[in-house]
Amino acid sequence: MTGTTELVTEYYGTHHVLRDILGGLERAGFDRHALNPDDLKPVDEFHTGGLLATDELLKQLEIEPGTRVLDIGSGIGGTARYVAQHYGARVTGVDLTEEYVETARYLSNAVELGELTHFHPGSATDLPVMDETFDLALMLHVGMNIEDKAALFRSAARALAPGGHFAIFDMMRAGDDTDLVFPLPWAESAEMSFVAPPEVYREAATAAGFRNVAERDRGDFALDFFRGVLERMELDGPPPLGLHLLMGDSASEKIRNLVANLEGGKVAPREMIFRKP
């Protein structure tokens, strides 16, 4: 593995993700042996805006039971399970961190979505899938850990069938080139953070043969979301089940730093949807 790959896998692979999630479920009053997909929602969507952001992105796409969906950087499988549950589509998830892959498989089987969701270890820049086998690729808050955006888009283009779409929701540079304040939810330091401006994504997409069909800045949405998260944490402390389980003991510091970066105009999440001709 490269140095960056090792940093990313070490950062996300804590060796107790599943244990912490199952413990959080029990503390929240859920029976770990009788779960449904909605029980996992407080921890399932590891990105800005959580389930609301996922839903608002997916509403812009055409998804049905026959749609072949690829989730790039699938994490613990939350988005894949949501697509499978609400659209009946089969979803293949790929993630660099094997612990996340194993956790995703366990949780999908626990909520009886194992037949519609399949997870594999692998890199976003060299996806372990066959050529032109998907109609839709999703990537939510993953690009910040990927230095080679050109390789990412080439890999996605190879995986998609003609006419397929690549829908992205990433934290991007927002015009201020000053240094970011760390740690952040996706990185302890600048060594493993590759937040790029939207034009880098556009250029990589064009070079890979994609056409940009939709784009939307979500900066205000992100500020409202994270201010609400901080307010609830300060009033009530961290909930039994939540994204802090994936961010570790410094979760509140990471969120505060992200809010500072958002308020300072350094970053903002953005949706981008591309189409392969």
Side-chain angles (χ1 to χ4, degrees), residues 217-257:
D217 180 277
R218 304 290 275 154
D220 291 340
F221 168 76
L223 270 174
D224 289 343
F225 173 75
F226 282 116
R227 283 169 177 164
V229 170
L230 281 177
E231 183 178 344
R232 289 189 295 273
M233 290 180 72
E234 289 170 358
L235 285 174
D236 305 319
L241 190 68
L243 296 182
H244 61 285
L245 297 180
L246 304 179
M247 285 189 274
D249 295 336
S250 59
S252 61
E253 181 186 8
K254 290 173 180 175
I255 295 172
R256 288 190 185 92
N257 287 343

Side-chain angles (χ1 to χ4, degrees), residues 46-121:
F46 189 19
H47 51 260
T48 301
L51 179 58
L52 178 60
T54 303
D55 195 45
E56 291 189 359
L57 179 66
L58 296 180
K59 284 178 179 177
Q60 301 173 64
L61 306 165
E62 294 183 5
I63 310 174
E64 55 189 18
T67 304
R68 300 167 297 174
V69 182
L70 174 64
D71 187 6
I72 299 173
S74 50
I76 64 169
T79 298
R81 283 188 288 276
Y82 184 75
V83 172
Q85 178 190 10
H86 288 271
Y87 295 93
R90 291 186 176 273
V91 188
T92 297
V94 174
D95 198 273
L96 192 62
T97 306
E98 292 200 27
E99 184 183 0
Y100 274 18
V101 172
E102 293 168 1
T103 299
R105 289 170 178 164
Y106 180 97
L107 294 176
S108 286
N109 288 328
V111 298
E112 300 184 352
L113 287 172
E115 292 186 5
L116 289 177
T117 57
H118 301 275
F119 301 95
H120 307 281

Side-chain angles (χ1 to χ4, degrees), residues 185-212:
W186 62 88
E188 289 287 348
S189 66
E191 290 180 288
M192 56 179 289
S193 178
F194 303 102
V195 182
E199 53 264 30
V200 170
Y201 284 74
R202 297 187 199 110
E203 290 168 3
T206 299
F210 284 105
R211 182 170 63 88
N212 190 334

